[in-house]
Amino acid sequence: MALFTRKSTAATTVTEAPAVDPALAALTGTYTIDPSHSSIGFTVRHAMVTNVRGSFGEHEGTLVVDGTDPANSSASIDVKIASVDTGIADRDGHLVSGDFFDAEKFPHMTFRSTKAEQLGGEAYRITGDLTIKDVTRPLAIDLEFNGSATDVYGNERVGFEGSADILRSDWGLTWNAALETGGVMVSDKVKLTFDISAIKAAAPAS
């Protein structure tokens, strides 16, 4: 089920508008990201031969979903840097230090969307501003809509998963160490991953 109805390829008059599926239109609303059922992670090449994976355990955010027009949808996410977890405490300590994120001075990584669009089928792209430390740069995240459901507690949920590749040096994360065999300890390219479950806010009382 596509979240947003695509325009028909059939010829239409200038006054016709694409049909809207009422079930999809019903998804329109504001959703709060459920951190206990969501993950924001990353993968980076280590020592040129293997991948290190990590995630941020503490994050919050809001999705505004328009089931009739994707251009009206948006996202806002705040990630607590000190919650980084790669499975090794010493490595996590290095990541939050001044060599990398400098979490004491810059405690959050943020994303604020500026554009949303449907790519086709269940595929979407949301573009916005990613801020790490004191650097803000544009980022495009490709997303897959995983569907909607009402959970056992009566919450209306939507789910998305997606990813984006960045160069960490673009955000001032430049620490590295040369290897004796050539190459560097940490690659510049980092893959960000998003697995999001969000709960629809209750409609305001009339």
Side-chain angles (χ1 to χ4, degrees):
M1 179 179 72
L3 176 59
F4 305 110
T5 303
R6 287 172 288 178
K7 293 182 179 179
S8 169
T9 57
T12 59
T13 67
V14 293
T15 59
E16 289 181 298
V20 175
D21 185 336
L24 300 179
L27 297 179
T28 298
T30 300
Y31 293 74
T32 300
I33 293 175
D34 178 4
S36 63
H37 294 92
S38 303
S39 65
I40 297 176
F42 59 89
T43 303
V44 61
R45 183 76 72 178
H46 177 262
M48 308 296 291
V49 297
T50 190
N51 289 319
V52 168
R53 293 176 174 82
S55 62
F56 296 93
E58 296 183 39
H59 54 269
E60 60 184 18
T62 300
L63 307 179
V64 177
V65 174
D66 191 322
T68 63
D69 185 355
N72 293 328
S73 298
S74 63
S76 175
I77 301 173
D78 293 80
V79 177
K80 187 176 180 180
I81 294 298
S83 70
V84 65
D85 182 7
T86 64
I88 298 178
D90 286 346
R91 181 164 58 207
D92 298 342
H94 192 196
L95 287 173
V96 301
S97 75
D99 283 345
F100 284 95
F101 289 109
D102 197 359
E104 185 174 348
K105 186 176 181 180
F106 305 102
H108 294 95
M109 171 173 63
T110 65
F111 177 79
R112 301 290 185 266
S113 69
T114 56
K115 181 181 179 182
E117 56 189 319
Q118 182 180 17
L119 303 181
E122 310 291 352
Y124 300 86
R125 177 173 293 150
I126 189 159
T127 303
D129 295 324
L130 176 66
T131 300
I132 303 175
K133 299 174 75 170
D134 56 351
V135 178
T136 299
R137 294 181 60 89
L139 176 70
I141 305 170
D142 288 336
L143 296 167
E144 189 82 7
F145 175 56
N146 288 340
S148 62
T150 301
D151 66 22
V152 295
Y153 302 105
N155 298 312
E156 295 181 60
R157 292 179 178 266
V158 292
F160 296 88
E161 61 180 314
S163 63
D165 291 330
I166 68 170
L167 297 179
R168 61 188 178 91
S169 59
D170 288 343
W171 280 266
L173 303 175
T174 57
W175 183 92
N176 228 320
L179 301 175
E180 292 183 3
T181 55
V184 292
M185 181 69 74
V186 185
S187 70
D188 192 20
K189 182 179 178 180
V190 179
K191 182 176 184 178
L192 302 177
T193 56
F194 305 85
D195 196 346
I196 302 297
S197 177
I199 298 172
K200 190 175 186 179
S206 57

